Every structure is written in C-alpha cells, then in structure tokens.
Amino acid sequence: MSVIDEVLKANEVYSRTHELRRLTPRPERHLAVLTCMDTRLSILTLGLKAADAHIIRNAGGIVTDDALRSLLVSHYLLDTTEFMVINHTDCGLTHATEEDLRSRIQNRTGTAAVAPAFFYAFQNIDENVRHQIQKLRTHPWIPKEVIVRGFVYDVTSGRLREIMGS
Ligand SMILES: [Zn+2]
C-alpha cells in the first residue's frame, strides 16, 4: 500500500465527521502567508487555525510568478489584507547552488530541461527575505494599504525573527 492509499483511508474516516465543513473560503483573519514547504513549518508554529489564513507554499517561500498569482487572488477575491513572507534556517535551497541543483538532476535523469528556469537557490537568508518583500512592495497590483512583512523562522528555536528594512 502506498502512502497515498493510506491517505485515502484516512480521508474516508475524516469525511464521517467533516469538521471543516462550516469554514468559509475567506480567511477569517484576513492573512496570507507565503512560506517554504519544509515539514518543520506549519500553522501550529504560527498559532493559526485552518480558517484563519491562506497558506501558500513552495520550495524556499519564494515570490515566484505563481506565488504572486495566489497572493493577488487572495487579496482581490478573498479579502486578505496582510501578507507575511517566511523563509527559514537550514532551508534545502541554501545547501546547493543553482548550478549544483541543475547538474545533479541532469546527471540523475541524463537529460536537460528548460523548465524550471530557476530553483531560486540562495545563500544569505536575510537578503533573500528582503528580496521577496521588495518584489511584493514594488508590484503595481499590490496596494500600499496591504501590509507586507518578512521573517526568518529559526527551526532550532521555533522563533520568528522579523527582517527589518525589508
Ligand atoms: Zn525550506
């Protein structure tokens, strides 16, 4: 049995009570969080419940075209007014360079590929957060009234540290 089969079984059990049925699609606390897919990050680390916020995740917590698309939908269609970007210590994307990642995969597969164009590997985490925030703050479709703040999550201490001047 694959893990997906186990998940299907668990869903069968969940659907008997379907506790989240009454949630609305609009985040109750009008918050959108963009963060890494890392297992050590969760709504639990942020004191959030399922209904509170949109959680948008990708490798690194990067403002890619697609993350931006989700944030715009979140704001314009579903009324979020605060964006929180979180990168974290010990992120997989800090352990290799762009070239390393590309050649590692090419060596395994024996073939090159044009997409993805970037893995968004990075070395300096504070700088990376600043860069993501800058991409959001300078975007013409993100109104100035939307609060945009950037953070580093320390996977050892469990604490968030705000990146000022971001
Ligand atoms: Zn990560």
Side-chain angles (χ1 to χ4, degrees):
M1 191 161 81
S2 79
V3 175
I4 295 175
D5 292 319
E6 293 168 9
V7 167
L8 290 176
K9 280 200 164 176
N11 171 254
E12 185 58 42
V13 174
Y14 165 78
S15 67
R16 289 176 207 153
T17 54
H18 190 15
E19 289 155 28
L20 300 183
R21 178 176 29 205
R22 284 176 191 81
L23 301 194
T24 74
R26 276 165 223 283
E28 283 175 12
R29 295 170 77 183
H30 306 284
L31 173 69
V33 180
L34 170 63
T35 190
C36 187
M37 64 188 185
D38 194 280
T39 53
R40 296 163 291 183
L41 281 153
S42 124
I43 56 172
L44 296 178
T45 59
L46 304 175
L48 294 171
K49 299 188 304 306
D52 287 342
H54 281 145
I55 311 292
I56 299 149
R57 303 183 75 164
N58 61 29
I62 307 294
V63 180
T64 59
D65 266 15
D66 197 62
L68 189 59
R69 182 182 68 85
S70 296
L71 288 169
L72 291 170
V73 168
S74 179
H75 173 67
Y76 285 99
L77 273 58
L78 296 160
D79 304 333
T80 56
T81 53
E82 297 189 44
F83 293 169
M84 189 173 187
V85 177
I86 306 173
N87 288 185
H88 67 97
T89 58
D90 194 38
C91 187
L93 285 182
T94 62
H95 299 322
T97 65
E98 200 75 21
E99 298 72 42
D100 286 341
L101 284 166
R102 194 161 288 277
S103 63
R104 201 183 299 178
I105 295 172
Q106 278 178 21
N107 291 341
R108 287 269 296 271
T109 59
T111 184
V114 283
F118 301 105
F119 284 97
Y120 297 96
F122 60 93
Q123 297 303 312
N124 184 323
I125 191 168
D126 290 24
E127 206 172 273
N128 198 60
V129 171
R130 258 183 227 111
H131 187 46
Q132 306 320 308
I133 296 302
Q134 200 175 33
K135 283 194 259 183
L136 295 176
R137 290 237 174 96
T138 57
H139 198 282
W141 287 355
I142 297 178
K144 295 290 167 251
E145 307 83 74
V146 170
I147 295 168
V148 178
R149 292 167 67 180
F151 300 84
V152 169
Y153 177 72
D154 185 323
V155 296
T156 306
S157 69
R159 284 179 183 276
L160 287 170
R161 173 170 61 85
E162 183 153 17
I163 299 302
M164 304 312 277
S166 59

